[in-house]
Amino acid sequence: VALLSQGGESLVAYLYGEVAGFGPLQPFLADPEVTEIKLIDPQTVLVERAGQRLCRTVAFPGGIEEVRRLAVRLAELGGHAVSRREPVAQVQLADGSRILLMPFEEIPQVLIRRRAARAFDLDTLLAYGTLDEPTAEYLRALARAQAFFLVAGPSGSGKTAFLETLLTLYPPQAHIVVVQQGTEIRKEGVHPLITLLEGADDPAAPNSLEAVA
């Protein structure tokens, strides 16, 4: 209370970031328009904001070792133990955001992919230059026909966001069932009649992707 009364909000925010948050990366996460954060080195971060990738400065006073400690702590907060024998951790947060951590690289790797605040619509993708108008019209026709389709691409290419956009185009009376691994697709702002199922990796589990299929 004394700190707050003396204008110590910045100190409190710093302490929270160091103990329970994302350290020097916390200010980027406070911006709802930021959807991806990739730490390049202890002084540089690549941020995707409103569809544009921007290079920004960041300050890890402890250098690489401070970055390493942050990556290990984030992995542990997500329930993963990392070591040099198991050097990679993938953490999924409750809001669907995903974190890829490789603490023991020469330069520790931290990649945060956040779910956008709301599902994109075609107009937004057109404005970003992701699609052109003929492609957008083809997708509208695909949804009207309720045709089968496959969305494929490497990690981080935008498959989930693109699929959410497609689902917004389906007629409101269509009942959509989505089987997913982890929390990816959202209900809000996507479609009024969508059922989300979550599968497990283990084929023997009753809710495994194979069992659900």
Side-chain angles (χ1 to χ4, degrees), residues 22 29 34 91-99 112-117 160 164 182-186 188:
F22 290 80
L29 289 161
V34 171
V91 176
Q92 183 160 346
L93 305 181
D95 65 354
S97 299
R98 288 170 290 174
I99 311 173
I112 305 168
R113 294 198 181 101
R114 300 176 68 196
R115 174 182 284 179
T160 299
E164 285 188 341
T183 306
E184 299 279 350
I185 304 297
R186 77 190 90 195
E188 297 77 11

Side-chain angles (χ1 to χ4, degrees), residues 38-183:
K38 179 177 175 58
L39 189 66
I40 304 300
D41 57 45
Q43 295 82 38
T44 312
V45 66
L46 191 64
V47 174
E48 184 173 301
R49 186 180 190 277
Q52 294 186 326
R53 289 201 166 184
L54 310 168
C55 193
R56 294 289 184 258
T57 58
V58 68
F60 281 86
I64 287 177
E65 287 306 313
E66 185 178 348
V67 175
R68 198 184 317 279
R69 288 194 298 271
L70 172 65
V72 170
R73 179 168 62 78
L74 292 177
E76 291 174 346
L77 287 175
H80 297 270
V82 285
S83 65
R84 294 191 181 277
R85 295 188 63 178
E86 296 184 10
V88 180
Q90 296 191 56
V91 176
Q92 183 160 346
L93 305 181
D95 65 354
S97 299
R98 288 170 290 174
I99 311 173
L100 177 63
L101 302 161
M102 292 184 280
F104 300 104
E105 296 292 310
E106 183 176 353
I107 297 179
Q109 299 294 301
V110 178
L111 173 61
I112 305 168
R113 294 198 181 101
R114 300 176 68 196
R115 174 182 284 179
R118 59 190 178 278
F120 295 117
D121 55 24
L122 278 186
D123 290 338
T124 302
L125 296 185
L126 286 167
Y128 284 172
T130 305
L131 303 174
D132 56 20
E133 185 55 48
T135 304
E137 184 51 42
Y138 173 79
L139 295 175
R140 294 187 189 101
L142 188 75
R144 284 195 300 269
Q146 299 187 38
F148 289 100
F149 59 87
L150 175 67
V151 179
S155 178
S157 61
K159 298 184 296 298
T160 299
F162 185 63
L163 179 57
E164 285 188 341
T165 300
L166 284 175
L167 296 180
T168 65
L169 302 175
Y170 274 70
Q173 68 273 17
H175 188 183
I176 300 171
V177 178
V178 176
V179 182
Q180 55 186 337
Q181 184 178 13
T183 306

